[in-house]
Amino acid sequence: MPTSSGLKGTRYSMEINGITVEPELRYSEMDLNPGILKALDQKGFTLATPVQAGAIPCFKDWKDVIAKAPTGSGKTFAFGIPMVEHTDPEGTEVTGLILAPTRELALQIQDELRQLCAFLPGIRVACLYGGQPIERQINLLKKKPQIVVATPGRLMDHMKRRTVRLGKVDTVVLDEADRMLDMGFIKDVTRILKQIPHKKNMGMFSATISREVLDISWLYQRDPVEIVVRPVEEDRPQITQYRLKVDMGGKVDLLCAILEKEALDRVLVFCNTKNTTDRVVGLLNMRQVPAECIHGDLSQKVREKVLGRFRTGELRVLVATDVAARGLDIDDVDAVINYDIPEEGEYYVHRIGRTGRAKRTGRAYNLISSVTDDIRLDEIAAHNRYDIETMTL
Ligand code: ADP
Ligand code: MG
């Protein structure tokens, strides 16, 4: 089976329109702008990741793309490189638009695109997201960016104020497409897409692509190229998964016991709601365990700071909701602890995928405090063929 050495030692296989293809391609073989090649070279990247090898040539040819590839497999450059390639450094209109579900993700994308444009001085990238004063973004828009990365709500605000014009947009990307097309965003996304009648090119990128996404995609995409990237089975990281039973009131003590007894340095704790993340952090702090949370209600600055500290290892425990963690490049953690069992099986897969990346082994602990939790975890285990061991501390 064709494989690629890809990121962090994971090998991937790739299918394009259902046909297995060789995912090895160098950036130098893609006929890219020398400025982009120089920026990639500076980052030390020469070999494209599989999703990039699949998507960049299609996108460059203005073909619509729907790509499913695991978190951390380089999807941002898969659409970012061809979008920058298509951008006219002398242009004064927005021609490329990327929609993302959260401000962190939007900022992360902006940051990666700016790195790509390091040697292309005329190309300007702006990021529009809720939480930042709108005036500041209006000033940015006056500088005539050709590429805009935005969360849907704030982009709609700018459209209503007529501070952004999308009439010349030719390329649209939905990052984390399944999230962009689910209940929370679909209305806004539909309205935005209606304002872009002349788009030539549309890409949808996600780690999971649900039936619903495929159903909606045909409304917006013309004969899209379907790219699917999977880790090669035998290279799947070994994630040992545990089930720990506990009374509702004893969850935080159990969490502390796990942190202590299992000698874990970088731990991501998942809760189902913002309120729980706050409460868990409070209770951990009371027990002298330094922990912080990220969720949608925190100010932009605070979230970025917290995330930065977790990335550098300064912060040992990060407590998050699924939405806040989604799409973020939170690298290899020692363990994921499900303080709450997620309501959707897909979330479970995303959550535990945060561990086991670099060392190829990781751990996931599930705190079970009700029969419902137990049943849900059984279903997740059965559906994904996971082996989940029962553990007592
Ligand atoms: P995804 O969106 O698929 O979750 P990202 O686009 O966030 O993944 O990329 C994950 C990391 O991989 C980023 O730090 C990015 O800079 C890095 N990366 C991208 N392309 C390459 C490459 N060709 N070689 C090595 N690392 C890469
Ligand atoms: Mg991504």
Side-chain angles (χ1 to χ4, degrees), residues 180-199:
M180 303 311 295
L181 295 173
D182 80 9
M183 303 283 278
F185 284 115
I186 181 73
K187 266 198 187 143
D188 284 352
V189 169
T190 311
R191 282 197 198 122
I192 292 167
L193 292 177
K194 270 197 192 133
Q195 302 296 311
I196 310 175
H198 303 300
K199 72 178 157 53

Side-chain angles (χ1 to χ4, degrees), residues 147-163:
I147 298 178
V148 164
V149 188
T151 54
R154 181 52 70 94
L155 181 64
M156 297 269 290
D157 287 347
H158 282 285
M159 286 160 67
K160 278 180 206 142
R161 289 167 184 249
R162 298 183 186 280
T163 45

Side-chain angles (χ1 to χ4, degrees), residues 278-345:
D278 273 335
R279 205 157 39 83
V280 169
V281 165
L283 292 168
L284 284 174
N285 290 346
M286 266 167 53
R287 287 164 175 77
Q288 321 301 330
V289 178
E292 293 190 54
C293 60
I294 48 167
H295 62 60
D297 284 354
L298 293 171
S299 83
Q300 168 56 22
K301 266 213 184 103
V302 173
R303 286 207 267 178
E304 267 174 80
K305 245 198 213 147
V306 172
L307 206 60
R309 278 209 295 276
F310 189 65
R311 283 210 181 104
T312 58
E314 208 179 304
L315 181 67
R316 183 179 167 211
V317 180
L318 181 65
V319 185
T321 57
D322 293 288
V323 175
R326 198 177 169 90
L328 294 179
D329 187 24
I330 297 175
D331 258 8
D332 210 43
V333 296
D334 288 340
V336 167
I337 300 182
N338 289 320
Y339 187 88
D340 296 319
I341 305 304
E343 315 222 331
E344 288 174 48

Side-chain angles (χ1 to χ4, degrees), residues 72 75-76 79 105 108-109 175-176 327:
K75 293 189 285 297
T76 316
F79 56 77
L105 188 51
Q108 201 170 293
I109 296 167
D175 195 17
E176 305 282 329

